[in-house]
Amino acid sequence: MGRSIVATTFEDDRQRARQRLPRQLFEFIDGGSFGEETLAANRNDFARVHLRQRVLMDVGNAVLDTEIFGERFALPLGLSPVGLAGLMRRRGEAQAVRAATAAGVPFVLSTVSLCGIEEVAAAAARPFWFQLYFLRDRDYVAKMIGRAQQAGCTALVMTVDVPVNSPRHRDAQTGMGGVPSALARAKVVADFSRRWPWLRDVAVGGRPHIFGNLAAAIPDARGLADFRSFTRANWDNAIGWKDVAWVRDQWDGPLVIKGILDPQDAAAAVAAGANGIVVSNHGGRQLDGVASSISMLPAIANAVGGRAEIFLDGGVRNAIDVLRARALGAKACFVGRPWVLALAADGEAGVARMIERFRIEMISALGLMGLNDVADVGAEALAHVPPEWSRGEAAAAPPPARRVATIAGE
Ligand SMILES: Cc1cc2nc3c(=O)[nH]c(=O)nc-3n(C[C@H](O)[C@H](O)[C@H](O)COP(=O)(O)O)c2cc1C
């Protein structure tokens, strides 16, 4: 595809990002874990939820704003935490937070971002949320929570679905996370050296070698490899519900647990003091063979019973998906790949355009559903949902018909 592509859909942004990024980085974003079945299911299962088309309902005054934790946002949509986003564009997280906060949607900054909390706070037009990964060094974790509080973050998102790493075959193929041989290394270097626009933007002067939130823990780090070894050595696999209680004590504000895919865990999160949960399988990047996020939503909403806010991510690609999730019990959806691919494609403007696309789509879809206010999208907006979903049996459903290739370059 040529330069004249107008990025109006997720796929447009994806193709533009693919052209611009070194292959290693594109596949890191695009891929999932193991055989990528859950990655495909996240997407395919949305098509199993049918909305109702209602007519002659006096529409045309769409109201999209949504209150979350006492704050009004322009849309029931937010940007999920994505690690290493600053590798995709120069100071990428700062660019993305500018777009998100200007558009009035929540932005969640990853622990493993290139821009640190303070840099992102300086770029943001309004407060953002901070995502916490757990390290063995509790003092350092407490310090990061303190930095988020100091920077005015309005919610803390604790991600719990990465107790261990999962095999990502595309990353192994492209050398993301270490190259096995001199020949493989030469191939990676050759690919990077061809990506001139990316090199000029990120590699030259973009300080792509520092993880802003972890820099204080490893002051003499010389590059990403040092940060990687540090996180590998300090990752806390032994994390349990007692640690959620510890975080609850440290953080004075809304606490969101991200990576819930089971009704029992959802109930436990509420009992541990979470104010919100993100129904998520990490975008199909952790345990493969688990159910899609959308298929687990009805049973989880049932288990939570209105005691906490429910958010969803995984496979959300347009406003129709957001409305489907709202009708099944989510307050708002978050997107990961859509924003980071838009960022890679066109920087801040790309992220702004992606959010605007969701806004325009949502106005249109609401009207076609015979509604004016997104707050009115509930169970009665649905024509069909697979009946097994509400009983929490989604995991027992047959696997998706289409398997995604595990090897890059499909
Ligand atoms: C490249 C990439 C990096 C990610 N890094 C993080 C992270 O640092 N912390 C986290 O909680 N989730 C991370 N996630 C998961 C996202 O927050 C989110 O759950 C997922 O991308 C949603 O699925 P989607 O990409 O289909 O929208 C990452 C996802 C991607 C694609």
Side-chain angles (χ1 to χ4, degrees):
M1 300 216 197
R3 282 166 166 274
S4 58
I5 301 166
V6 178
T8 53
T9 66
F10 169 77
E11 193 51 34
D12 291 328
D13 283 337
R14 182 171 173 272
Q15 291 307 334
R16 287 165 68 95
R18 180 177 230 161
Q19 284 167 14
R20 186 178 163 100
L21 290 174
R23 179 165 167 238
Q24 192 181 76
L25 298 183
F26 174 78
E27 300 297 351
F28 166 67
I29 301 170
D30 200 50
S33 55
F34 298 84
E36 301 192 341
E37 288 181 11
T38 298
L39 176 68
N42 272 352
R43 189 65 217 115
N44 294 341
D45 276 355
F46 272 105
R48 300 177 69 196
V49 182
H50 296 165
L51 298 170
R52 277 173 82 192
Q53 171 181 292
R54 301 295 314 281
V55 299
L56 301 171
M57 300 282 282
D58 185 11
V59 295
N61 297 305
V63 177
L64 306 181
D65 54 314
T66 301
E67 190 178 312
I68 303 172
F69 303 135
E71 220 183 313
R72 288 215 79 81
F73 291 98
L75 290 176
L77 178 78
L79 308 193
S80 293
V82 170
L84 275 57
L87 277 185
M88 312 307 162
R89 277 274 170 169
R90 179 182 290 241
R91 314 316 291 159
E93 294 92 359
Q95 294 202 46
V97 83
R98 267 198 292 273
T101 51
V105 303
F107 174 84
V108 191
L109 178 69
S110 167
T111 291
V112 287
S113 54
L114 292 226
C115 299
I117 297 171
E118 296 75 14
E119 181 178 352
V120 171
R126 59 186 270 177
F128 60 101
W129 300 2
F130 181 64
Q131 177 261 322
L132 186 71
Y133 273 137
F134 235 64
L135 303 173
R136 289 207 186 93
D137 182 345
R138 288 293 189 279
D139 285 346
Y140 198 79
V141 175
K143 273 191 197 124
M144 277 199 295
I145 295 174
R147 284 166 68 185
Q149 204 110 45
Q150 188 72 30
C153 291
T154 41
L156 186 70
V157 178
M158 183 177 176
T159 297
V160 295
D161 56 4
V162 190
V164 292
N165 279 333
S166 58
R168 301 201 186 138
H169 298 303
R170 295 203 215 184
D171 288 353
Q173 262 226 328
T174 62
M176 186 78 185
V179 279
S181 66
L183 180 64
R185 189 173 165 74
K187 271 186 170 169
V188 171
V189 170
D191 180 56
F192 270 72
S193 62
R194 276 197 299 271
R195 310 288 177 161
W196 275 107
W198 178 86
L199 284 169
R200 269 198 306 271
D201 183 44
V202 179
V204 182
R207 285 176 286 131
H209 57 291
I210 294 173
F211 282 37
N213 297 322
L214 302 178
I218 20 174
D220 42 351
R222 284 192 316 274
L224 283 182
D226 292 339
F227 282 97
R228 272 218 195 90
S229 338
F230 171 83
T231 45
R232 242 175 240 145
N234 285 283
W235 208 255
D236 195 346
N237 313 113
I239 178 175
W241 288 106
K242 65 179 187 323
D243 301 296
V244 176
W246 181 83
V247 171
R248 182 65 287 181
D249 281 347
Q250 305 284 316
W251 175 255
D252 180 22
L255 175 66
V256 178
I257 309 284
K258 174 174 181 280
I260 298 287
L261 203 65
D262 190 283
Q264 245 176 305
D265 286 342
V270 174
N275 308 95
I277 59 167
V278 186
V279 179
S280 175
N281 47 41
H282 217 90
R285 297 167 76 80
Q286 284 301 110
L287 181 60
D288 199 27
V290 295
S292 62
S293 304
I294 189 71
S295 69
M296 292 311 297
L297 176 58
I300 289 176
N302 204 17
V304 169
R307 291 173 295 156
E309 297 286 23
I310 298 177
F311 310 110
L312 174 137
D313 76 13
V316 174
R317 297 293 175 261
N318 56 53
I320 301 281
D321 297 338
V322 179
L323 295 171
R324 286 164 159 149
R326 278 220 42 135
L328 288 173
K331 182 69 167 277
C333 285
F334 284 75
V335 291
R337 293 178 184 86
W339 80 257
V340 79
L341 290 169
L343 175 77
D346 282 306
E348 179 182 342
V351 180
R353 192 168 53 222
M354 184 220 79
I355 299 167
E356 178 63 6
R357 171 169 68 78
F358 272 82
R359 198 182 68 81
I360 291 169
E361 288 174 348
M362 201 171 292
I363 291 171
S364 168
L366 262 188
L368 295 169
M369 291 164 75
L371 295 169
N372 277 312
D373 191 338
V374 77
D376 295 335
V377 178
E380 59 295 337
L382 294 169
H384 175 78
V385 185
E388 69 275 14
W389 286 9
S390 58
R391 297 191 297 269
E393 292 167 6
R402 188 177 69 90
R403 268 182 75 107
V404 170
T406 53
I407 300 193
E410 71 272 44

